[in-house]
Structures are given as structure tokens and as C-alpha cells.
Amino acid sequence: MKVKLLLSSIVLVATTAVASPFEKPEDAIHYRQSAFTMIAANFGDMAEMVKGRKDWNQDVFAQRAQYISQLSLMPEEAFNVEGSDKGDTKAKPEIWSDWNGFTGKLTKFQGDLAQLADVSSEGDERATKKAFGVAAKNCKSCHSDYKFR
């Protein structure tokens, strides 16, 4: 019985230690900021196409949509690191005081981006622009509620 308990404890400690790649809160902040920077760079290029400031290229747009769909899955774990609400961050305290609201918006954003990736891969420019508008609206609402400017 003691051996079983000891083995169970070792497994629990080992999986807990592996669960987060962040040794310090600053690492988590940098990680999530990096993911959001990459999302913004791709999103900005797509917005330039939607606004007609850049030539429309459906293939490039679809690739960027795929990138941001995947990138959107990355930041959440870095908000779950103790102490990552302090330091060099534009994250508002409401992220942690309204965790369900924040993660609800993030989940919706992830769904919107997955939909955008799917729609844009089908090649319909009009449908792609419509899906982009939905994702952009949700992105902006999360910034308003959970990010300092």
C-alpha cells in the first residue's frame, strides 16, 4: 500500500512539474505577449487586405487565418501562472477577477478564428471577409474589457 501511495505521489508531482513550461511569472508574460504579437502581425496583414489597402490574396489570407487560429490556442495557459498578473503586462486585473468572462471570450475568439480558417480555405472572398469581421469584433471587445492600452 505504501509503495502504491509513493508511486502515485511521484506521478502526481512529475505531471504537475511538466504541466507548465514557465519557471517564473515573467516567462509566462513573455510567452503570451509573443503569441499575441504574432496574432496581431498576421491579423493586421489580413485587415489590410480586407480594407483594400493591400492586394487581396486568398491563399495568403487563408494561410494567415490558419496561423492565427493555431496561435490563439497558446496564450491561455500563460495566464494561469501565479504572479503573471504583475510586472510588464497590459493585462487588466479583470482577467483574473472575471476568469469565466475572460475565458469565455477567449474561447469564442478561438472558435471565430477556427471558423475564419475554414471559410477562408474555401476560397470565397465575400464569406472570408464576413468571417473576418466577426473575429475582429470579438477581438476588439476582449481588448476593451481585459487589456490596458
Side-chain angles (χ1 to χ4, degrees):
M1 180 68 170
K2 287 183 182 182
V3 172
K4 261 187 173 176
L5 183 59
L6 178 63
L7 288 175
S8 296
S9 297
I10 290 170
V11 169
L12 180 61
V13 169
T15 57
T16 302
V18 175
S20 175
F22 314 112
E23 292 184 24
K24 302 178 288 192
E26 299 82 27
D27 297 338
I29 293 168
H30 179 71
Y31 179 89
R32 68 183 186 231
Q33 288 174 342
S34 296
F36 283 128
T37 296
M38 289 187 290
I39 290 169
N42 284 281
F43 211 84
D45 191 51
M46 296 161 67
E48 292 297 300
M49 284 189 241
V50 168
K51 294 175 182 176
R53 295 183 191 150
K54 187 173 184 177
D55 289 342
W56 183 262
N57 184 321
Q58 188 71 36
D59 292 334
V60 170
F61 194 100
Q63 183 63 59
R64 299 224 179 283
Q66 185 64 42
Y67 290 159
I68 61 174
S69 178
Q70 293 301 307
L71 286 164
S72 73
L73 303 174
M74 298 176 71
E76 185 175 352
E77 74 174 317
F79 283 103
N80 277 319
V81 175
E82 187 176 339
S84 71
D85 58 331
K86 311 276 188 286
D88 186 17
T89 179
K90 293 182 180 178
K92 288 183 177 180
E94 286 80 1
I95 290 173
W96 294 274
S97 66
D98 181 24
W99 184 251
N100 289 338
F102 172 70
T103 57
K105 283 193 175 191
L106 183 57
T107 299
K108 180 172 179 354
F109 184 57
Q110 292 164 340
D112 291 346
L113 293 178
Q115 179 69 22
L116 177 60
D118 288 345
V119 169
S120 64
S121 71
E122 294 171 4
D124 182 336
E125 181 179 341
R126 187 170 166 198
T128 297
K129 287 179 177 180
K130 182 177 179 183
F132 179 83
V134 170
K137 183 177 179 183
N138 189 10
C139 183
K140 185 176 180 177
S141 76
C142 198
H143 283 210
S144 297
D145 293 344
Y146 301 109
K147 180 183 176 191
F148 290 115
R149 300 208 190 278

